Amino acid sequence: MENLHLFKADLLDYDSLCASMAGCRGILHVASPVPSGAVINPKVELLEPALTGTCNVLKACTEAKVKRVVVVSSVSAVIWNPNWPKDQPMDESCWSDKEYCRSSENWYSFSKTEAESAAWEYAKKNELDVVTVCPSLIFGPLLQSTMNASSSVLVKILKDGVDEIDNNERRIVDVRDVAEAVLLAYEKPEAEGRYLCSAYTVNTQELIEKLKTMYPDYSYPKKIAEVKELPQISCEKLQKLGWKCITLEESLADSVKCYQEMGILD
């Protein structure tokens, strides 16, 4: 790690971004806030960091003459489209409907859709080589000492002992597989456009049954409500870059082991 240099940069502070990017050949833009609870002020909590932050990163990349930028978006910028045919798998051509997200107060999805749309508009106008990766719900071991929003979904199933939980479809991918997807998007010369990044689709009932088999002693929800299924998504484009993923069982096992070691499940 002798060549590791750390720079403090604020996504909303353009000058600090420019200073941190000087001399860089490539940028991986992965930072965007994810709400862990109710959103009180969408503009401040989500929209400004996602939209303004992304635009600032891309402008700074242009100034630094960066060769390629990989922006981590989300399937939330893809799947919320009520007009998409239910029997047709979603692919990179599908976008979440901004007005639908706004009217349903799905502010995270709205912010990710706005930010990724702005990234593509900027890339086109300024001839910047941008590739986006759109991961689904991310499980896997944590590097940080605090819980994040995606991991809390799994912890809630294992620990909270709620009486009832929605039988939502869960599109899941391991954090290590997301990292591999981002590296492929950066390193492969043929990489271009958007890439959906999701390894498995299971509903809550299936996920709980699998966890019960692996960890029978946790307090699982007692009742599971029925919820409509969502269209499937296709990650064939990413797989053509050489992307492979670990098994769902391995991801769950490593996630739970990490939470146990951190005391999160005590």
Side-chain angles (χ1 to χ4, degrees):
M1 302 297 286
E2 295 178 359
N3 295 321
L4 177 64
H5 300 279
L6 299 179
F7 296 87
K8 184 177 181 180
D10 183 345
L11 292 180
L12 302 182
D13 182 346
Y14 179 71
D15 290 336
S16 73
L17 286 174
C18 288
S20 67
M21 291 182 190
C24 290
R25 295 180 57 193
I27 294 292
L28 311 179
H29 174 44
V30 301
S32 190
V34 182
S36 56
V39 177
I40 306 301
N41 189 330
K43 182 178 180 181
V44 173
E45 296 176 49
L46 292 171
L47 297 178
E48 284 187 0
L51 181 58
T52 306
T54 296
C55 290
N56 281 346
V57 167
L58 297 180
K59 291 175 184 176
C61 286
T62 297
E63 183 166 323
K65 294 182 172 55
V66 168
K67 300 299 183 184
R68 171 168 285 183
V69 188
V70 179
V71 176
V72 178
S73 182
S74 169
V75 296
S76 291
V78 177
I79 63 174
W80 298 111
N81 186 337
N83 298 317
W84 189 268
K86 297 296 183 183
D87 58 349
Q88 180 178 339
M90 290 180 163
D91 58 20
E92 285 77 8
S93 67
C94 185
W95 284 84
S96 290
D97 185 290
K98 293 180 186 179
E99 289 309 311
Y100 177 75
C101 292
R102 189 198 298 270
S103 63
S104 59
E105 297 186 354
N106 187 345
W107 298 117
Y108 175 72
S109 298
F110 180 73
S111 70
K112 297 301 290 188
T113 308
E114 282 275 81
E116 191 185 351
S117 299
W120 285 118
E121 182 177 349
Y122 181 91
K124 184 177 180 180
K125 288 182 178 179
N126 296 274
E127 298 183 345
L128 182 64
D129 185 2
V130 170
V131 181
T132 64
V133 176
C134 302
S136 58
L137 184 67
I138 300 174
F139 288 168
L142 301 171
L143 288 178
Q144 74 277 10
S145 59
T146 56
M147 179 62 58
N148 56 26
S150 56
S151 295
S152 66
V153 172
L154 184 53
V155 171
K156 182 178 181 180
I157 291 174
L158 289 163
K159 181 180 178 181
D160 283 4
V162 295
D163 289 333
E164 184 172 350
I165 191 170
D166 288 339
N167 193 26
N168 295 323
E169 288 215 323
R170 311 282 182 179
R171 298 182 179 94
I172 299 169
V173 65
D174 190 89
V175 64
R176 292 160 291 188
D177 293 331
V178 176
E180 177 66 18
V182 171
L183 287 176
L184 286 170
Y186 175 69
E187 295 175 347
K188 291 284 188 176
E190 66 270 27
E192 52 82 29
R194 310 172 85 197
Y195 288 91
L196 301 189
C197 180
S198 183
Y200 306 100
T201 300
V202 295
N203 60 42
T204 306
Q205 177 73 61
E206 294 168 334
L207 182 59
I208 289 176
E209 292 304 319
K210 187 174 291 291
L211 287 166
K212 281 183 177 180
T213 300
M214 300 169 68
Y215 306 99
D217 297 330
Y218 282 107
S219 179
Y220 295 96
K222 300 174 180 63
K223 183 179 179 181
I224 301 174
E226 289 298 326
V227 174
K228 292 182 179 179
E229 294 182 358
L230 295 172
Q232 298 298 306
I233 62 176
S234 171
C235 298
E236 182 179 354
K237 184 182 177 187
L238 181 58
Q239 291 165 352
K240 288 180 178 179
L241 279 187
W243 186 66
K244 298 179 181 178
C245 47
I246 66 175
T247 65
L248 177 58
E249 289 77 11
E250 184 179 351
S251 181
L252 292 175
D254 290 347
S255 299
V256 173
K257 180 182 178 182
C258 173
Y259 305 157
Q260 290 171 336
E261 292 174 348
M262 293 175 65
I264 293 172
L265 296 175
D266 294 343

